Amino acid sequence: MRVEWIEFENLKTGLKIERINFNKDVTLLVGLSGAGKTQVLNAIEYSLNLAVDKDVILCPYRVGIGILIGKDKYEWFYEINKTYDEELIINEAGRYEFVYEKLLCNGREFFERKNGKIAVIGYDRVPQPKKDESLILQYSENDNFEMLISGIRKLYSVEIELAVRGGISRETFSRVRAKVVDVIRNEENLGFKAFSHLPAAVKLYIAKKYYKDLYIKIFEAVKMLFVEIEDIDVEEDNARDLYLVSIQVYGKKLMQQDISNGMLKTIYYIVELYTMSEDSLVLIDEFENGLGANCIDLLSELMLTERVDLQFIITSHHPKIINAIDKAKWRIIDRDEEIIKNCDSFDYGIGHSQHDAYFNLMNRWEFEGKI
């Protein structure tokens, strides 16, 4: 699954993202704080979740998004706006409904709803759809949408900051562990991708217990940065009723609360990079946050070389990360009041060599009075 482009408009605030195209491997969104980089990631995440999750709260958005699944190009357009059905209005979240929606596959129309009418491929007559759910979700059992749905589910929005702050409750961990054991017992040669969307700490536990080769890869990558680490595990902290990441250092065990945030974040990133399902989309906002300078180089290299099957769309302000990614893969984000614009490095006029690009970018922003 690859996201090829997105265009977005918040009908309530007037914020608009002009169409932005993404690379199939890595796209780095570069721009000043407040320019709109995070809004681009949020627009992608919201739209993909909206297509497969009935619990997403509707917001007044108008969106178009291009999705590549294998060789098939999908284009999905939707508009969510105020409802005029008073019975639907329960609270602020219930004030909106789908007023327009259209899905194309390789230029062929799969469905469209407009002015209260709906047409769906393969159906002469269709029941009145739910106004608060996408048609993709409502027709997810239809064979025409099977590949699209399975592709959209290959989304990872990496929130390392949230993950390292707390552990996993004993009750939750025990329940998940029991399910994992049951699945592994009943399915021979089960690939790790069956667990790829679980929390990083749970994936680390599963890898160490059931997928030794995968665990060794994770451990060796961690060891390249932190030679003092002798072991990584996930263990129960009886005093706190939590399962936490632990490490062995110089013969001494350190539980999660005693490990530095930078080291923990690095471990979590490495676990995520090695355990994400193949051909997935990965969104990372401010990749460098909380990482040591020595960790950024290796993590950037792992991202660019170890998982070439993934599509990364990331934001960063860090010169090491920006310089590590070819400027041809940059999308420079700029803002003109409520309009978020973008262009590539060549059109932005910041030099032809990778070495000069970052300095030319800084100089231009300084010359324009932005920094």
Side-chain angles (χ1 to χ4, degrees):
M1 192 272 280
R2 297 290 183 266
V3 169
E4 295 194 302
W5 57 267
I6 194 168
E7 54 193 23
F8 171 91
E9 184 177 2
N10 186 322
L11 300 172
K12 186 175 182 179
T13 66
L15 178 72
K16 185 176 182 179
I17 301 173
E18 294 185 344
R19 181 176 291 209
I20 177 170
N21 297 304
F22 305 105
N23 303 308
K24 290 184 178 181
D25 48 4
V26 179
T27 302
L28 173 65
L29 306 182
V30 181
L32 296 167
S33 295
K37 303 182 299 298
T38 300
Q39 284 89 333
V40 174
L41 299 187
N42 290 344
I44 297 170
E45 183 178 8
Y46 179 87
S47 295
L48 296 182
N49 285 334
L50 184 68
V52 295
D53 187 350
K54 65 181 179 180
D55 294 324
V56 174
I57 296 173
L58 299 189
C59 298
Y61 296 159
R62 182 185 292 125
V63 180
I65 184 168
I67 303 169
L68 183 67
I69 309 288
K71 295 181 179 180
D72 293 323
K73 291 191 175 187
Y74 294 87
E75 295 176 291
W76 181 37
F77 303 89
Y78 69 85
E79 180 180 334
I80 300 168
N81 217 327
K82 288 183 180 180
T83 177
Y84 296 99
D85 185 350
E86 295 296 329
E87 294 182 3
L88 284 177
I89 302 176
I90 301 171
N91 49 42
E92 176 66 19
R95 295 181 61 224
Y96 303 106
E97 65 182 34
F98 280 85
V99 298
Y100 178 77
E101 191 175 8
K102 184 175 184 178
L103 178 69
L104 304 173
C105 179
N106 301 323
R108 182 187 182 194
E109 186 175 301
F110 267 16
F111 65 65
E112 183 178 32
R113 64 167 147 190
K114 183 179 181 182
N115 299 325
K117 297 181 180 180
I118 176 173
V120 181
I121 187 173
Y123 293 84
D124 295 326
R125 298 177 62 185
V126 295
Q128 189 65 25
K130 295 179 181 179
K131 296 180 179 179
D132 59 347
E133 287 184 5
S134 161
L135 290 174
I136 296 177
L137 178 61
Q138 294 181 59
Y139 284 89
S140 58
E141 301 300 321
N142 185 304
D143 291 344
N144 287 314
F145 305 104
E146 182 180 355
M147 293 299 293
L148 177 61
I149 292 290
S150 61
I152 288 175
R153 292 191 186 280
K154 290 189 171 188
L155 166 69
Y156 295 86
S157 183
V158 180
E159 294 283 358
I160 298 297
E161 182 69 32
L162 297 176
V164 301
R165 285 179 178 166
I168 301 172
S169 72
R170 175 189 294 165
E171 180 183 356
T172 299
F173 192 89
S174 299
R175 186 173 62 251
V176 172
R177 180 174 56 189
K179 289 182 179 179
V180 168
V181 171
D182 186 57
V183 169
I184 290 176
R185 184 187 298 123
N186 291 305
E187 294 193 37
E188 293 185 12
N189 302 317
L190 182 66
F192 191 89
K193 68 179 181 180
F195 313 111
S196 60
H197 275 84
L198 291 174
V202 177
K203 292 194 287 187
L204 177 60
Y205 172 86
I206 295 170
K208 184 167 188 180
K209 193 165 182 66
Y210 300 105
Y211 297 86
K212 296 295 184 183
D213 290 344
L214 176 60
Y215 174 78
I216 289 170
K217 283 185 177 181
I218 292 169
F219 179 73
E220 287 179 346
V222 172
K223 189 83 171 172
M224 287 174 64
L225 282 168
F226 307 109
V227 295
E228 68 273 23
I229 293 182
E230 301 158 356
D231 188 38
I232 313 171
D233 210 338
V234 178
E235 301 183 54
E236 185 177 5
D237 184 335
N238 292 315
R240 302 168 66 189
D241 289 335
L242 293 173
Y243 275 83
L244 303 169
V245 171
S246 69
I247 60 173
Q248 193 88 5
V249 180
Y250 303 126
K252 183 184 295 185
K253 182 183 296 182
L254 295 179
M255 296 299 285
Q256 187 165 317
Q257 66 270 21
D258 300 315
I259 305 171
S260 73
N261 264 12
M263 181 181 284
L264 262 179
K265 286 181 181 180
T266 302
I267 292 171
Y268 271 75
Y269 264 127
I270 290 171
V271 171
E272 291 286 13
L273 282 171
Y274 278 100
T275 59
M276 290 173 181
S277 182
E278 64 272 13
D279 300 317
S280 295
L281 165 65
V282 185
L283 308 177
I284 308 177
D285 196 13
E286 298 194 4
F287 181 84
E288 69 274 13
N289 272 1
L291 298 175
N294 61 316
C295 303
I296 289 173
D297 284 339
L298 177 64
L299 289 175
S300 299
E301 183 180 349
L302 285 175
M303 183 179 67
L304 294 169
T305 61
E306 191 69 24
R307 293 304 307 268
V308 294
D309 60 304
L310 300 177
Q311 180 187 28
F312 291 92
I313 303 176
I314 67 175
T315 76
S316 178
H317 295 104
H318 201 286
K320 274 197 169 187
I321 295 173
I322 295 174
N323 282 318
I325 297 175
D326 191 322
K327 65 182 178 63
K329 300 185 185 299
W330 298 2
R331 297 303 301 179
I332 298 168
I333 307 299
D334 210 347
R335 190 163 182 164
D336 183 5
E337 296 183 353
E338 296 306 315
I339 308 297
I340 296 173
K341 302 182 176 183
N342 70 92
C343 65
D344 59 30
S345 59
F346 181 79
D347 288 338
Y348 207 66
I350 56 171
H352 296 283
S353 75
Q354 181 74 18
H355 179 266
D356 293 337
Y358 181 76
F359 296 102
N360 289 344
L361 185 64
M362 294 296 107
N363 289 336
R364 171 164 172 171
W365 284 341
E366 186 172 21
F367 177 76
E368 293 175 347
K370 296 178 180 179
I371 57 173

